[in-house]
Amino acid sequence: MGTTQLETVPEPKYWHLKTVLSEALDSEFTVGEILPNERDLAARFGVARATLRQALEQLELEGRLQRRRGVGTTVAPPRMGVAVGTAQHSWPGAAGDAWQPVDSALTVPVVSVATALETGRDERVHTVRRSRVSHGQPVAAELLYVPVASVPDLSAIDAPSGAARARAVLRELQRLELEGQDRAVELGSARADDAKELDRLPGAPVLVVTTRFFAQGRTAALSVATYRADTCRLTFGDTGGVEIHHGPERQAS
């Protein structure tokens, strides 16, 4: 491959490089292929490695690239549609729920969670950990916070820990009449524990979906779900069927 020099442009150099790299991904690489190392890429495009890293980070954010431990940077497959739409008017753990319970423990949540749940700052709540897998690949991790008052009969259930305890919390939660829910989505960076569970590098872009469930006139549970931004396309609405296609020439869009 020859050396491609970037022309002087009014936009940031890394942004122009992102466009050039995106075109190269379409024409020269296939899904899953490992990119050359940063030194070789920087030399090819005649840019500093810092500029190259900015462009690569942007492409990862857009779902074009994946950084994998022990592998390097690879061309990402098309994003998977993950429904988080308004059709999901049910408690976590209800029939058809795609999440798998992992564990549950009584913990003191961070201040922001305690505030949302309107519990005391030192009050312990049930923290249910769940995971979501698609096509054999982990795509999301969730922490579901449930105040003790929402599941008062749980103490009589003999399930001290693990997935069985998590399922018991979910069953008791479903005894409440769900009055409504609200949801917010924001872009974030993977924390160390989320990154490990999702097979990502710490700091990798993620989508954080926070859902509050209401019953008996209060917040009965709070879900904080972390989705891989490089592989997930969140869908909303009653069908979740809206998709945007970039054309057949986009092999890895």
Side-chain angles (χ1 to χ4, degrees):
M1 295 185 296
T3 299
T4 304
Q5 295 293 334
L6 298 178
E7 299 177 356
T8 302
V9 290
E11 61 190 3
K13 183 174 287 188
Y14 84 88
W15 193 263
H16 181 58
L17 176 60
K18 177 188 76 75
T19 302
V20 175
L21 282 170
S22 184
E23 293 173 351
L25 293 180
D26 291 334
S27 60
E28 302 177 31
F29 297 90
T30 58
V31 170
E33 187 172 351
I34 302 174
L35 266 63
N37 61 43
E38 289 185 359
R39 181 183 57 198
D40 291 343
L41 283 175
R44 172 185 173 180
F45 294 103
V47 297
R49 291 177 68 173
T51 301
L52 175 69
R53 290 194 189 102
Q54 285 182 295
L56 294 177
E57 288 172 358
Q58 186 63 37
L59 287 170
E60 182 186 14
L61 182 63
E62 294 178 4
R64 299 300 313 277
L65 298 175
Q66 292 180 352
R67 290 183 299 164
R68 302 172 58 191
R69 289 187 181 89
V71 176
T73 302
T74 62
V75 181
R79 281 177 166 145
M80 295 175 287
V82 179
V84 291
T86 55
Q88 311 300 315
H89 287 307
S90 59
W91 288 111
D97 192 335
W99 292 88
Q100 297 299 316
V102 176
D103 199 0
S104 178
L106 277 171
T107 63
V108 177
V110 297
V111 173
S112 59
V113 171
T115 300
L117 293 174
E118 298 180 341
T119 58
R121 292 195 174 187
D122 297 324
E123 183 178 339
R124 295 195 301 172
V125 302
H126 297 284
T127 303
V128 177
R129 189 160 56 92
R130 302 198 299 166
S131 65
R132 189 166 181 175
V133 176
S134 181
H135 303 293
Q137 180 182 33
V139 296
E142 179 198 50
L143 290 176
L144 177 69
Y145 302 96
V146 183
V148 173
S150 294
V151 287
D153 295 331
L154 188 65
S155 59
I157 297 177
D158 185 18
S161 63
R165 181 71 174 184
R167 286 191 290 268
V169 173
L170 296 176
R171 284 196 303 268
E172 289 300 305
L173 187 61
Q174 290 168 39
R175 294 179 182 271
L176 295 176
E177 182 179 351
L178 180 62
E179 298 172 352
Q181 56 185 263
D182 64 25
R183 183 177 290 108
V185 182
E186 59 186 331
L187 182 65
S189 300
R191 300 174 304 171
D193 51 350
D194 290 330
K196 182 178 180 181
E197 189 165 350
L198 298 175
D199 191 26
R200 305 291 286 128
L201 295 174
V206 292
L207 297 169
V208 181
V209 180
T210 303
T211 307
R212 292 196 303 169
F213 298 89
F214 301 102
Q216 299 177 340
R218 59 180 175 82
T219 301
L222 179 73
S223 165
V224 181
T226 303
Y227 291 81
R228 290 181 55 152
D230 61 328
T231 60
C232 292
R233 174 177 49 80
L234 304 186
T235 61
F236 296 84
D238 291 334
T239 63
V242 178
E243 298 186 22
I244 299 176
H245 299 278
H246 296 282
E249 73 280 4
R250 295 291 296 270
Q251 297 179 30
S253 61

